[in-house]
Amino acid sequence: MDTNLSASAKRVQDALNSFGVDCRVKELGESTRTAVDAANAVGCEVGQIVKSLVFRGKESGKAVFVVASGANMVNEKALAVLIGEKIERATPDFVREQTGYAIGGVSPVGHPTPLTTFIDEDLLGYQELWAAAGTPNAVFALTPEQLCHITSGQVAHVKK
C-alpha cells in the first residue's frame, strides 16, 4: 500500500478498500486531467478511460453523475429523459461540493454522499478501465464489474 498518496488520492484508495475491491491508486508524474492525457499516461485506448462528469437537474438542483467512456460525448437530452428533467452542466464549485474533488480529478468513488449515477454502456465492452483517483495525476485500474459495484450506477445508453 502506498502511504505517500496525496489526501484526495488516499480518500479514493480508502473508498475502494471499503468496497472490498482489489484496486490500487497510482499517482503518476504526468497529467491525467483529460481522457487523452490519461490514456497516454497509462498506455491504453481512450475508450478505456472512465470520464466522471457531473450535471445538475435544472428544476431539482440535484447532481447527476455520469461515468462515460473517454471516447464518447454524453447525450444530454437522453440523460434528461433518464432523470425526468432538463439538465445543465455543473459549475466547478458544484462539482467539488457534490463529489469532493476538483474537475480533472473526479473519481467515481469517495463522494460525500451517494449520487444518482449512470454508467455508459460502452464501458462494459472493455476488460480493463482506468479512472481518476482524486487528483489530475492519480488513476486506478478496474473492471467494468467493479465500476458497477462501486458506483451502484444504472447502465444506460448515454452517448451522442
Side-chain angles (χ1 to χ4, degrees):
M1 172 105 35
D2 188 347
T3 55
N4 296 320
L5 292 174
S6 66
S8 290
K10 184 175 182 331
R11 186 158 35 102
V12 172
Q13 186 64 67
D14 290 347
L16 291 167
N17 293 346
S18 75
F19 281 104
V21 294
D22 185 23
C23 299
R24 293 286 162 251
V25 171
K26 299 174 183 178
E27 289 187 304
L28 306 173
E30 58 265 55
S31 172
T32 58
R33 181 177 294 276
T34 69
V36 172
D37 289 347
N40 289 336
V42 301
C44 72
E45 294 177 36
V46 174
Q48 290 175 265
I49 300 300
V50 177
K51 286 195 295 195
S52 294
L53 305 169
V54 180
F55 296 91
R56 183 178 181 142
K58 277 193 175 179
E59 291 138 37
S60 68
K62 289 184 179 174
V64 179
F65 192 64
V66 177
V67 288
S69 167
N72 295 344
M73 298 288 292
V74 171
N75 181 334
E76 295 178 28
K77 288 184 178 166
L79 185 58
V81 169
L82 284 170
I83 66 162
E85 71 174 303
K86 290 182 179 179
I87 60 165
E88 58 192 8
R89 289 180 187 234
T91 65
D93 286 343
F94 185 77
V95 171
R96 185 182 285 275
E97 174 187 306
Q98 297 297 313
T99 68
Y101 307 108
I103 291 173
V106 177
S107 176
V109 294
H111 307 151
T113 58
L115 300 173
T116 299
T117 302
F118 294 94
I119 300 168
D120 180 348
E121 64 188 2
D122 285 2
L123 289 170
L124 277 57
Y126 295 98
Q127 288 186 336
E128 182 179 63
L129 304 171
W130 289 87
T135 74
N137 67 331
V139 294
F140 64 97
L142 73 168
T143 66
E145 294 76 19
Q146 289 170 325
L147 179 66
C148 291
H149 173 66
I150 66 175
T151 63
S152 297
Q154 175 185 330
V155 176
H157 181 83
V158 295
K159 75 175 177 182
K160 276 189 180 175

